[in-house]
Amino acid sequence: MAEYTHVLATPPEGVAADWTIDQHWDRYSAEDHATWDTLFARQAKLLPGRASDAWLKGLGVLKLDRPGIPDFRALSDRLMALTGWQVVAVPGLVPDDVFFDHMANRRFVAGNFIRRPDQLDYLEEPDVFHDVFGHVPMLADPVFADYLAAYGRGGQRALGLGALKYLSRLYWYTVEFGLVAEPEGLRIYGAGIVSSYSESRFALDDLSPDRLMLDLARVMRTEYRIDDFQQNYFVIPSFDELLRLTVETDFAPLYETLKALPDIPVATVVEGDVVLNRGTQDYARRRDG
Ligand code: PHE
Ligand code: FE
């Protein structure tokens, strides 16, 4: 999920200049496909009534419910027809400029490897289950599809402005860990949550985390942890509103304002927050207790 850290500066041997590789779908073993099916079955049971309408619809129209690891070629054909996006394989984390260039051009980069059967619940790098099951359904939604492409262009701009720290937090608290207010209640759209068995319950049901309405400047000041459940979630009223807000705001002056302000630690409520649920923040104590 931490798409912004990377190890290599140039593509390793056998990797194209744009860092893409062949998915080599035919090289997956029966065990690989079985791992996908196990993860899929577990999440599919949990997510109706929890995942956002857009995510659930995307899963269906993209036929991601067919058994086995999806073939990116067929998946890209469907996605292209719906929103102009494609899914391309990369060997792992790629440099920021490469990541943003693909995104701005509606190419979603996905790892082609799948976790081992003993890593069902936790892994450090995004694999094909997180990337495809978690992220790709949202790309079938025309509004979210536009948001992510705009984010890619925003990323290129933020790199030039030395403001990636701020923009990355927006990605984290929307694309990876976002919640949306639907008429029936809060729903998950963040890929880091929908692809996680335990967090897809924690994010909605647990009393520990704070759930706040998303404010752009506030989110961009907020730290995050990559190694545990989130201690605060940010809620958007709708994808239309997220797109409108982010596209209509010029981030350059906002970055300058933020550079003069302190970061906000996780699990903190500050003046101006619209609080939906003030968390008990007792999760860490329960975990360690
Ligand atoms: N409006 C942002 C900018 O001025 C770009 C952006 C759009 C960023 C959508 C994120 C999401 O840089
Ligand atoms: Fe991710």
Side-chain angles (χ1 to χ4, degrees):
M1 278 163 270
E3 274 92 344
Y4 294 108
T5 45
H6 59 87
V7 225
L8 300 164
T10 53
E13 233 181 279
V15 176
D18 68 356
W19 286 76
T20 59
I21 54 172
D22 194 295
Q23 183 191 8
H24 288 301
W25 186 83
D26 46 297
R27 291 190 193 170
Y28 292 121
S29 65
E31 185 183 74
D32 291 337
H33 288 298
T35 298
W36 172 283
D37 291 344
T38 302
L39 290 163
F40 187 98
R42 227 165 53 152
Q43 290 309 93
K45 243 199 304 193
L46 214 51
L47 291 173
R50 292 176 182 275
S52 70
D53 192 47
W55 186 91
L56 291 166
K57 276 209 185 97
L59 194 74
V61 293
L62 294 172
K63 304 193 191 302
L64 284 165
D65 46 3
R66 292 186 179 170
I69 300 171
D71 186 328
F72 292 179
R73 289 166 295 197
L75 183 56
S76 293
D77 286 347
R78 292 194 190 100
L79 206 48
M80 180 60 94
L82 291 165
T83 59
W85 275 81
Q86 284 170 272
V87 180
V88 296
V90 289
L93 300 168
V94 302
D96 299 322
D97 60 324
V98 176
F99 182 72
F100 292 133
D101 181 66
H102 283 302
M103 195 174 270
N105 291 291
R106 297 189 182 243
R107 290 185 300 268
F108 188 76
V109 298
N112 68 337
F113 71 96
I114 189 142
R115 66 197 76 184
R116 294 192 315 265
D118 61 308
Q119 298 174 310
L120 290 192
D121 293 311
Y122 181 78
L123 84 169
E124 275 164 26
E125 261 197 280
D127 71 341
V128 66
F129 186 75
H130 167 78
D131 282 336
V132 172
F133 181 89
H135 285 284
V136 172
M138 289 307 298
L139 296 176
D141 181 86
V143 177
F144 195 84
D146 285 354
Y147 170 66
L148 207 61
Y151 186 96
R153 293 189 295 276
Q156 295 171 322
R157 189 169 183 228
L159 271 178
L161 295 169
L164 200 51
K165 175 174 101 169
Y166 301 114
L167 190 68
S168 300
R169 290 166 173 170
L170 177 64
Y171 190 89
W172 190 262
Y173 285 118
T174 59
V175 180
E176 294 291 352
F177 291 97
L179 300 179
V180 56
E182 290 189 358
E184 279 81 54
L186 296 188
R187 295 291 184 268
I188 305 160
Y189 72 92
I193 314 178
V194 284
S195 63
S196 161
Y197 185 59
S198 43
E199 196 154 358
S200 55
R201 285 166 293 161
F202 180 86
L204 292 181
D205 302 345
D206 205 279
L207 297 177
S208 186
D210 298 325
R211 297 180 184 86
L212 315 170
M213 289 309 288
L214 182 140
D215 174 271
L216 214 44
R218 200 293 186 200
V219 158
M220 292 203 282
R221 286 176 62 193
T222 310
E223 294 169 352
Y224 59 83
R225 10 191 343 173
I226 64 166
D227 58 343
D228 207 340
F229 294 151
Q230 300 306 302
Q231 295 171 40
N232 35 233
Y233 296 94
F234 292 92
V235 179
I236 56 167
S238 68
F239 299 112
D240 282 316
E241 187 54 28
L242 176 65
L243 180 65
R244 194 195 58 74
L245 179 72
T246 50
V247 167
E248 287 180 3
T249 305
D250 181 357
F251 284 22
L254 193 51
Y255 293 147
E256 287 316 302
T257 309
L258 297 179
K259 284 175 188 172
L261 293 171
D263 289 342
I264 302 173
V266 295
T268 312
V269 168
V270 299
E271 209 188 307
D273 280 345
V274 177
V275 181
L276 299 178
N277 302 119
R278 179 64 159 120
T280 57
Q281 296 297 344
D282 66 337
Y283 160 72
R285 275 194 302 281
R286 271 186 276 142
R287 180 201 52 202
D288 301 333

